[in-house]
């Protein structure tokens, strides 16, 4: 892929969503450069002209001319465009749709529940125990769903690691870092725990997690 121009990824070090995209780029060996936005700048011009939602990640791909935001859409774009050998995706039926199913479960289920748990635990000005309890229950529920789906399997879809598996890693590692009891809780979900260890041992993932840690991110 050396003839490709680097994809520009707008991100900030702390958030889990841009690092999901980094992991996919690393897995696919697609060249990229990162622009680290100060969080205070992402709700303002010029950034909101790229991403009116004022969040990261956003990519610009000079090879195709696209500007794209929402991590799930970016991941789908990257595998559709650059995973011609289907290293981390499928073009077979029904695997192609099952991988999409799990990616959508990640962006609509895992990410928001984990994010709200962290918000109500650490950032909300009042301590609302019922909200904390609600989101704790939901994060555990997400883990239990994945645990059940992984019964007797190494990966979520079709016996190989796909972008869908990879999309779950960063929220989990952030949660474990900021909520220490999370690490313990994952252990009761033995399929889930073993799967996470398997994913984190992949060279592209280990490299990304290491770089993220050196930047002081969880
Ligand atoms: N649904 C979006 C969520 C993006 C998101 O919430 N990004 C966080 C970083 S992980 C962010 O930009 N937070 C800064 C803010 O909300 O101001 C996606 O998956 O891309």
């Amino acid at each position: 892929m050396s003839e490709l121009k680097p994809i520009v990824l707008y991100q900030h070090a702390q958030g889990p969503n841009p690092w999901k995209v980094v992991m996919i780029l690393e897995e696919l060996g697609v060249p990229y450069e990162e622009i680290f936005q100060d969080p205070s700048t992402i709700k303002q011009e010029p950034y909101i002209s790229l991403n009116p939602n004022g969040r990261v990640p956003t990519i610009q791909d000079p090879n195709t001319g696209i500007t794209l935001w929402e991590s799930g859409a970016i991941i789908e774009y990257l595998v559709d465009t650059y995973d011609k050998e289907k290293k981390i995706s499928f073009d077979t039926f029904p695997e192609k749709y099952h991988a999409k199913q799990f990616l959508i479960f990640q962006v609509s289920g895992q990410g928001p529940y984990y994010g709200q748990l962290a918000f109500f635990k650490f950032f909300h000005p009042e301590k609302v125990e019922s909200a904390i309890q609600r989101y704790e229950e939901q994060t555990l529920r997400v883990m239990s769903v994945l645990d059940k789906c992984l019964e007797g399997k190494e990966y979520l879809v079709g016996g190989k690691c796909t972008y869908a598996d990879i999309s779950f890693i960063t929220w989990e590692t952030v949660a474990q870092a900021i909520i220490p009891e999370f690490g313990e809780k994952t252990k009761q979900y033995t399929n889930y725990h073993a799967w996470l260890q398997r994913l984190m041992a992949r060279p592209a993932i280990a490299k990304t997690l290491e770089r993220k840690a050196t930047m002081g991110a969880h």
Side-chain angles (χ1 to χ4, degrees):
M1 300 218 188
S2 55
E3 70 282 5
L4 288 175
K5 296 186 195 129
I7 290 179
V8 179
L9 168 65
Y10 294 83
Q11 77 137 309
H12 67 63
Q14 295 299 332
N17 288 306
W19 291 103
K20 277 158 42 182
V21 174
V22 172
M23 287 176 176
I24 300 297
L25 289 162
E26 288 286 346
E27 285 279 354
L28 295 177
V30 175
Y32 63 97
E33 63 188 36
E34 292 157 296
I35 298 184
F36 285 90
Q37 296 287 139
D38 184 291
S40 66
T41 65
I42 63 178
K43 311 282 186 224
Q44 304 166 11
E45 293 293 359
Y47 185 77
I48 53 161
S49 284
L50 291 179
N51 180 343
N53 194 31
R55 293 192 169 194
V56 288
T58 301
I59 62 160
Q60 288 180 303
D61 185 350
N63 304 289
T64 61
I66 197 170
T67 297
L68 198 61
W69 45 276
E70 279 298 323
S71 59
I74 294 171
I75 289 172
E76 286 208 317
Y77 166 76
L78 291 174
V79 295
D80 284 352
T81 311
Y82 296 110
D83 192 15
K84 298 295 180 209
E85 290 165 10
K86 304 295 162 205
K87 183 180 175 217
I88 52 164
S89 60
F90 282 101
D91 57 5
T92 50
F93 181 90
E95 293 83 3
K96 177 176 173 178
Y97 297 98
H98 286 154
K100 283 180 191 288
Q101 161 196 283
F102 281 110
L103 178 65
I104 290 171
F105 182 52
Q106 191 284 313
V107 295
S108 66
Q110 189 215 32
Y113 284 135
Y114 279 47
Q116 291 304 312
L117 175 59
F119 177 79
F120 279 103
K121 248 180 134 78
F122 300 114
F123 301 112
H124 193 54
E126 298 149 36
K127 204 91 195 135
V128 186
E129 284 303 336
S130 55
I132 294 174
Q133 192 188 336
R134 157 86 182 155
Y135 290 116
E136 262 178 10
E137 281 166 12
Q138 292 306 310
T139 50
L140 291 176
R141 193 185 62 78
V142 169
M143 279 184 216
S144 73
V145 170
L146 291 167
D147 190 63
K148 195 164 185 337
C149 293
L150 287 160
E151 191 66 51
K153 293 186 193 166
E154 293 211 328
Y155 299 105
L156 291 170
V157 182
K160 81 175 180 197
C161 174
T162 67
Y163 66 86
D165 299 277
I166 294 166
S167 70
F168 286 94
I169 301 169
T170 56
W171 273 105
E172 187 57 46
T173 54
V174 168
Q176 289 190 21
I178 63 175
I179 309 173
E181 63 270 26
F182 243 68
E184 279 309 304
K185 283 179 179 163
T186 65
K187 286 186 187 152
Q188 67 178 296
Y189 299 114
T190 50
N191 303 321
Y192 178 77
H193 184 73
W195 169 73
L196 276 178
Q197 305 308 310
R198 203 174 292 131
L199 293 174
M200 290 194 294
R202 291 175 70 82
I205 307 304
K207 176 183 165 189
T208 307
L209 290 173
E210 215 175 284
R211 188 160 67 83
K212 188 168 171 284
T214 62
M215 300 185 78
H218 297 301

